[in-house]
């Protein structure tokens, strides 16, 4: 399939298409669409978060980390990005780095330590 397919349509149509592929667990295809959307609209948190999730689910953890850090640079209190970053770091075996992110995400969610 040519790259034209991934670039075809309006941003809204590509967003819908990326979500369909993500929901179908076709993470690599979702990534190909989302990369273009994020490049065009880097300020859009939802697109960048979905791209990070697609990277995470396709085991591209360093790329997921990069996207999540970009979200948190723009919005340090983005709860889901904080949680995902913690889980991404844990999955890479970086538990010490993950812990503060996971604690902060839990506090933002109103969870108390057990």
């Amino acid at each position: 399939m040519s790259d034209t397919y991934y670039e075809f349509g309006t941003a809204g149509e590509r967003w819908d298409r990326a979500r369909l592929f993500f929901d179908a667990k076709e993470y690599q295809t979702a990534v190909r669409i989302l990369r273009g959307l994020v490049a065009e609209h880097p300020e859009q948190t939802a697109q960048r978060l979905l791209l990070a999730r697609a990277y995470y689910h396709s085991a591209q953890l360093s790329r997921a980390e990069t996207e999540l850090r970009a979200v948190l640079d723009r919005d340090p209190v983005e709860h889901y990005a904080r949680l995902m970053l913690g889980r991404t770091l844990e999955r890479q075996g970086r538990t010490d780095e993950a812990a503060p992110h996971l604690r902060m995400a839990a506090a933002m969610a109103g969870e108390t330590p057990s």
Side-chain angles (χ1 to χ4, degrees), residues 14 23-24 26 38 49 52 61 90 99 108:
R14 287 179 285 146
D23 290 344
E26 293 288 335
V38 168
L49 276 176
L61 301 177
E90 270 185 334
M108 288 176 181

Side-chain angles (χ1 to χ4, degrees), residues 24 36 57 109 114:
H57 287 297
S114 49

Side-chain angles (χ1 to χ4, degrees), residues 91-105:
R91 195 167 163 196
Q92 293 178 73
R94 296 160 58 191
T95 54
D96 290 343
E97 283 180 72
H101 296 287
L102 294 173
R103 280 193 304 272
M104 194 177 303

Side-chain angles (χ1 to χ4, degrees), residues 56-104:
Y56 179 88
H57 287 297
S58 61
Q60 298 179 64
L61 301 177
S62 64
R63 288 181 174 165
E65 179 183 350
T66 298
E67 295 303 327
L68 293 165
R69 289 190 188 279
V71 168
L72 291 170
D73 284 345
R74 285 185 143 319
D75 185 1
V77 295
E78 169 52 57
H79 165 262
Y80 190 68
R82 186 74 58 189
L83 175 65
M84 270 194 70
L85 179 57
R87 289 189 177 162
T88 299
L89 293 168
E90 270 185 334
R91 195 167 163 196
Q92 293 178 73
R94 296 160 58 191
T95 54
D96 290 343
E97 283 180 72
H101 296 287
L102 294 173
R103 280 193 304 272
M104 194 177 303

Side-chain angles (χ1 to χ4, degrees), residues 10 14 16-17 24 26 31 33-35 38 41 47 51 55-56 59 65 67 71 87 92 102 109:
T10 66
R14 287 179 285 146
D16 290 342
R17 193 176 319 124
E26 293 288 335
V31 162
I33 297 167
L34 289 163
R35 278 192 311 230
V38 168
H41 305 283
Q47 295 172 2
L51 177 58
Y55 280 142
Y56 179 88
E65 179 183 350
E67 295 303 327
V71 168
R87 289 189 177 162
Q92 293 178 73
L102 294 173

